[in-house]
Amino acid sequence: MSHQQDAKGVILTGYFSNSEVLPPASGVKSAEEIESSSLSRRTGHYSVQNRAKNVPGKPPYHRCNSQDSLDELAMDDYWTEVKNITLSGEGEGDAEPQEEVQLKVPDEGEQEEAWLMEAGLATLFDESASDPEEMMGLLSTLTRTQAATVEKRVEKLQQTLRKRNKQHQVPDVRDIFKLPGTPESKDEAKSPERSENRIKDITTDGQATGLGNGAGPAEQRVSEPETDINLEVSFSDQALSYKEGSKGSGEALTDADDKLPNFKLRRDKTGLTKAGDLSPQDMKKVHRLVLIEMTALFDTAGIDLKAHKAVKLKVKESGLFGVPLATLLEQDQRRQPGTKVPIILQRLISHIEEEGLDTEGLLRIPGAATRVKAVCVELEGKFYEGLFPWESLKQHDAASLLKLFIRELPHPLLTVEYLSAFIAVLKLPTKKQQLQALNLLVLLLPESSRDTLKALMEFFQRVIDHKEQNKMTLNNVAVVMAPNIFMFKGFRNKISEQQEFSLATETANIVRLLIRYQNLLWTIPKFIMNQVRKQNTENQKKMSKDRAMMKLLKKMAYEREKPEKQEKPLSEVDSSSQGFIRVQAPQFSKVSMAVQLTEELQASDVLSRFLSQDSSVSVKREDLCLYEIGGNIQERCLDEETYMKDLLELNPSAEWFIKCIQR
């Protein structure tokens, strides 16, 4: 199993099989027949293109219990959109053919190896891969369900390596979850009960400290209302509690927009954390923990997410359409540093909004295909030079260009890795678990995909806000946008009509949930934040002896050079112990400010006080943020409703800075 890929090629890694998330259909091809026939197809629109061309109707309707939110009538717009997509792609015989992406099932054991590597646990099968002490710091923060998920992957990898008769030393699972420094006899090591207790010990230890995840999942399940999203307890632990206490009552999604549950987040006094609020170092830890948690959540529900081998794909290296997001953003950032969403997408959205969101059928009614193609070519040549005549671009043409931009991405917006996992979300038994899984999947997306997806969801919501005029409800927008998001250039899968209809309703429902609950989905759960804090603390402990020695040597040298011991001025005394915090603002004229702590003092109060004392600040209030830096976190932009005294108790070694937000 190779650990490295050719660095010169573009790598698409697909960890999940579409065939695993498609519902079974009677009287259709087997999975093997479907897989073998899929190689003869081109990319991205499944088998619907042939149907759209040759058959005026749509596949027969068969209601699935998990898909009651979109009825047959509501799906008419979906098939119309698919037909429009097909027609817009005709007449391109002179265009360079799109390279086909074939997602192959990996060799046995490769899925587990790839998963462990992405989770930061490569040391479990390759001692040279990473720092084993850092790995132990990660393992020590895991909950019981998360630890079981890691154990499952390691055991599968062990079995594979034994079958291959490789001289490859993989540590025993019982040793992986052994608390550092805990002695044990050989007899104890062989005891399954001892192994179970050890896993329990290490995960309980991760929650028993001041950074704990709150009450146990069983207690939380009894007390929390259905519409309350608990971010303090591991989602997989909550799911396990639900599974153990469930009486098998099914839940069905409802038809009307306003009948979706009004889920809300529990307010936390230490503040909510959004994706983008943390430093890259801590986001790397978040990614690893979220991957483990997401897999544990699906494991708890008995949903197996299969892997695919990585494939290479030739892509455009410049331009606007058909360019990978990461490449496009690098191109844009040379012109506008700090750009997080492609400029062309931002401009299309702003043009649609400037011209008015009241246009009836916005996003649903397509622009003229020939005109859209001509505008696309013109944009490629004139956009960056500022010569494109935006005033002549019609609303429906602009909306078609926006959808074309999403469709033409060579790497799907939701990524090859996680596209099928997004669809598999609907297999989870409750809407709350589906929403929790979507939350984790959004956090797993690369930053470029996550930021672009957020910009799109916010735009779709603004369209829906004008539904009285444009006739585009949540269901309408979700149904129209689903094929554009899930049918991407680069991959096709030939499936049966029944599977095709199920996939249509599934993808429409996923887009529906992404739009409706977008304010929740970009939030990093507190239990993940607690694990990051604990991991940072563990990593600091391993260096504490060296740091203590260096500090002592520096102090001794300082005392020798200093003729007399001087008292620290009042401003330099540890202010937090006296009920104050010192807030630094090095970018502004008032570089430092003492703030008295009270029970009700929030981050917003600190910002208001700073602005009232420094009249020279020219930036807008919404562009300023109070940052928590150091201690058990690298850097965190604070939610304005954060209670400072509570946060100080959580991170007593932190420093506080006011800075401009990097948007």
Side-chain angles (χ1 to χ4, degrees):
M1 291 176 283
S2 173
H3 297 263
Q4 302 292 335
Q5 300 290 345
D6 185 359
K8 296 181 181 179
V10 176
I11 305 298
L12 294 182
T13 307
Y15 292 122
F16 307 109
S17 168
N18 271 359
S19 62
E20 292 296 318
V21 299
L22 293 174
S26 59
V28 299
K29 294 182 180 181
S30 67
E32 291 78 8
E33 291 172 326
I34 291 172
E35 171 134 8
S36 64
S37 64
S38 67
L39 301 182
S40 64
R41 307 251 348 135
R42 207 167 144 250
T43 56
H45 301 167
Y46 308 96
S47 58
V48 290
Q49 283 202 359
N50 284 344
R51 179 176 295 104
K53 289 181 181 180
N54 302 324
V55 183
K58 54 184 180 292
Y61 175 74
H62 299 279
R63 182 177 294 278
C64 174
N65 287 337
S66 64
Q67 305 303 328
D68 284 342
S69 60
L70 296 169
D71 58 23
E72 183 176 10
L73 181 61
M75 292 306 295
D76 282 347
D77 285 343
Y78 181 97
W79 304 114
T80 301
E81 181 68 14
V82 168
K83 184 176 181 180
N84 291 334
I85 292 172
T86 302
L87 295 175
S88 69
E90 293 180 347
E92 297 181 353
D94 297 333
E96 184 178 346
Q98 172 70 33
E99 183 175 354
E100 186 174 333
V101 175
Q102 299 177 8
L103 301 181
K104 298 180 180 179
V105 177
D107 294 334
E108 189 177 10
E110 286 188 345
Q111 176 179 353
E112 288 72 33
E113 180 178 325
W115 188 91
L116 289 166
M117 288 179 68
E118 188 177 354
L121 300 173
T123 308
L124 296 182
F125 60 87
D126 182 356
E127 294 181 359
S128 64
S130 61
D131 185 351
E133 292 188 17
E134 182 180 352
M135 180 204 70
M136 287 306 300
L138 169 60
L139 290 175
S140 69
T141 68
L142 300 185
T143 66
R144 188 168 184 174
T145 50
Q146 292 172 348
T149 292
V150 174
E151 181 179 354
K152 179 180 178 181
R153 269 78 197 161
V154 174
E155 285 182 337
K156 283 187 177 181
L157 184 57
Q158 285 178 323
Q159 293 169 5
T160 300
L161 295 173
R162 289 193 195 103
K163 287 179 184 178
R164 296 181 180 182
N165 296 319
K166 286 192 174 182
Q167 300 299 318
H168 197 56
Q169 297 297 323
V170 177
D172 190 279
V173 174
R174 291 183 291 268
D175 293 330
I176 294 170
F177 294 99
K178 177 182 176 182
L179 282 169
T182 303
E184 84 175 281
S185 66
K186 292 183 179 179
D187 292 337
E188 288 177 325
K190 295 177 182 178
S191 169
E193 182 178 353
R194 174 65 179 164
S195 176
E196 171 109 359
N197 291 336
R198 189 176 299 115
I199 295 175
K200 182 178 179 180
D201 288 342
I202 195 167
T203 55
T204 302
D205 180 70
Q207 298 184 14
T209 66
L211 304 178
N213 293 343
E219 299 173 20
Q220 294 293 342
R221 187 181 61 79
V222 173
S223 61
E224 71 179 352
E226 175 61 26
T227 56
D228 198 31
I229 298 296
N230 183 359
L231 299 181
E232 296 189 1
V233 177
S234 163
F235 295 159
S236 54
D237 283 351
Q238 294 181 48
L240 182 61
S241 176
Y242 172 86
K243 184 177 181 180
E244 291 172 348
S246 174
K247 296 180 180 179
S249 58
E251 293 188 38
L253 294 174
T254 54
D255 292 316
D257 296 352
D258 58 357
K259 289 186 180 179
L260 280 176
N262 186 26
F263 286 117
K264 61 182 183 297
L265 297 176
R266 288 185 178 180
R267 292 303 307 179
D268 174 42
K269 283 199 166 187
T270 60
L272 296 177
T273 306
K274 298 286 187 178
D277 287 348
L278 297 180
S279 67
Q281 298 94 325
D282 280 341
M283 278 306 296
K284 185 176 181 180
K285 296 182 179 71
V286 167
H287 181 92
R288 291 172 172 176
L289 288 162
V290 166
L291 175 65
I292 295 171
E293 173 65 16
M294 184 270 293
T295 311
L297 180 58
F298 278 96
D299 279 357
T300 302
I303 301 171
D304 189 19
L305 301 174
K306 295 296 184 182
H308 283 293
K309 291 180 68 174
V311 294
K312 295 181 181 179
L313 179 68
K314 292 180 181 178
V315 296
K316 288 173 61 178
E317 297 181 356
S318 63
L320 300 175
F321 297 87
V323 180
L325 271 178
T327 303
L328 188 54
L329 283 170
E330 288 176 8
Q331 179 178 286
D332 287 349
Q333 287 165 358
R334 288 194 290 268
R335 293 174 170 84
Q336 294 183 16
T339 299
K340 293 187 175 182
V341 177
I343 298 174
I344 178 61
L345 183 61
Q346 293 185 50
R347 190 66 185 86
L348 286 169
I349 289 174
S350 63
H351 176 79
I352 294 171
E353 295 182 347
E354 287 166 5
E355 294 298 310
L357 295 172
D358 297 341
T359 305
E360 186 169 340
L362 187 62
L363 293 176
R364 178 173 56 81
I365 299 175
T370 54
R371 192 167 61 232
V372 169
K373 289 179 184 178
V375 173
C376 181
V377 173
E378 191 174 6
L379 275 169
E380 290 278 8
K382 297 181 178 180
F383 176 69
Y384 284 121
E385 285 68 30
L387 301 176
F388 180 78
W390 287 97
E391 65 279 358
S392 64
L393 182 60
K394 300 179 182 298
Q395 282 287 75
H396 292 303
D397 291 350
S400 292
L401 285 167
L402 181 143
K403 293 189 288 186
L404 178 67
F405 173 84
I406 301 168
R407 256 188 348 263
E408 290 289 306
L409 290 171
H411 309 181
L413 184 61
L414 302 182
T415 74
V416 172
E417 285 179 290
Y418 303 118
L419 192 71
S420 296
F422 271 95
I423 300 173
V425 160
L426 295 179
K427 289 185 175 183
L428 291 166
T430 70
K431 288 186 280 293
K432 181 181 289 187
Q433 288 183 31
Q434 292 171 10
L435 186 58
Q436 290 170 335
L438 280 178
N439 181 197
L440 297 171
L441 284 166
V442 165
L443 295 175
L444 280 175
L445 292 175
E447 186 177 1
S448 57
S449 294
R450 189 169 60 238
D451 291 340
T452 301
L453 180 65
K454 189 173 190 294
L456 284 170
M457 296 303 114
E458 290 172 346
F459 167 65
F460 296 155
Q461 184 58 57
R462 291 194 291 272
V463 172
I464 294 165
D465 290 342
H466 291 73
K467 62 185 177 183
E468 297 299 329
Q469 294 76 34
N470 59 35
K471 312 302 181 187
M472 295 298 292
T473 64
L474 173 60
N475 281 354
N476 297 142
V477 173
V479 164
V480 167
M481 292 309 304
N484 291 282
I485 292 175
F486 283 89
M487 295 178 179
F488 61 94
K489 292 180 76 71
F491 173 67
R492 290 176 190 264
N493 188 17
K494 188 174 182 179
I495 55 180
S496 69
E497 289 188 356
Q498 177 62 42
Q499 288 174 315
E500 185 177 315
F501 182 82
S502 296
L503 189 61
T505 54
E506 285 168 348
T507 55
N509 268 297
I510 291 300
V511 176
R512 186 169 179 257
L513 294 173
L514 286 170
I515 298 172
R516 175 64 186 269
Y517 299 114
Q518 58 185 285
N519 291 335
L520 286 65
L521 298 180
W522 273 258
T523 302
I524 301 174
K526 185 180 179 181
F527 73 87
I528 294 289
M529 287 300 302
N530 286 344
Q531 289 178 296
V532 170
R533 290 182 187 275
K534 189 171 188 297
Q535 191 176 340
N536 283 335
T537 301
E538 292 297 320
N539 291 340
Q540 289 168 4
K541 284 181 180 178
K542 72 177 183 179
M543 301 170 60
S544 60
K545 291 183 179 180
D546 292 339
R547 287 202 309 267
M549 181 61 68
M550 291 298 297
K551 186 176 181 180
L552 178 61
L553 293 173
K554 286 181 180 179
K555 183 177 180 181
M556 291 172 62
Y558 177 73
E559 292 295 336
R560 284 196 301 268
E561 295 174 3
K562 193 173 181 180
E564 295 180 5
K565 186 175 181 180
Q566 300 177 359
E567 294 294 330
K568 287 185 178 181
L570 182 61
S571 61
E572 295 181 13
V573 176
D574 182 10
S575 55
S576 61
S577 62
Q578 300 185 1
F580 289 85
I581 58 172
R582 182 152 295 279
V583 179
Q584 311 292 330
Q587 295 177 323
F588 306 100
S589 59
K590 186 173 181 59
V591 297
S592 180
M593 176 180 67
V595 179
Q596 185 173 8
L597 289 171
T598 65
E599 294 292 338
E600 300 302 318
L601 181 72
Q602 295 183 328
S604 59
D605 301 322
V606 176
L607 290 172
S608 297
R609 193 169 306 179
F610 170 75
L611 289 171
S612 67
Q613 294 183 19
D614 191 343
S615 58
S616 64
V617 176
S618 58
V619 296
K620 297 178 181 179
R621 162 66 183 272
E622 56 266 26
D623 292 331
L624 287 178
C625 182
L626 179 61
Y627 283 81
E628 168 196 4
I629 298 178
N632 52 40
I633 206 76
Q634 292 281 341
E635 180 176 287
R636 175 178 171 235
C637 179
L638 297 184
D639 168 14
E640 289 202 3
E641 295 185 32
T642 301
Y643 287 83
M644 300 305 298
K645 192 170 183 179
D646 293 87
L647 181 57
L648 186 63
E649 291 175 2
L650 181 63
N651 190 5
S653 300
E655 296 181 326
W656 316 99
F657 287 80
I658 293 176
K659 299 192 296 183
C660 292
I661 301 173
Q662 292 292 327
R663 297 193 184 278

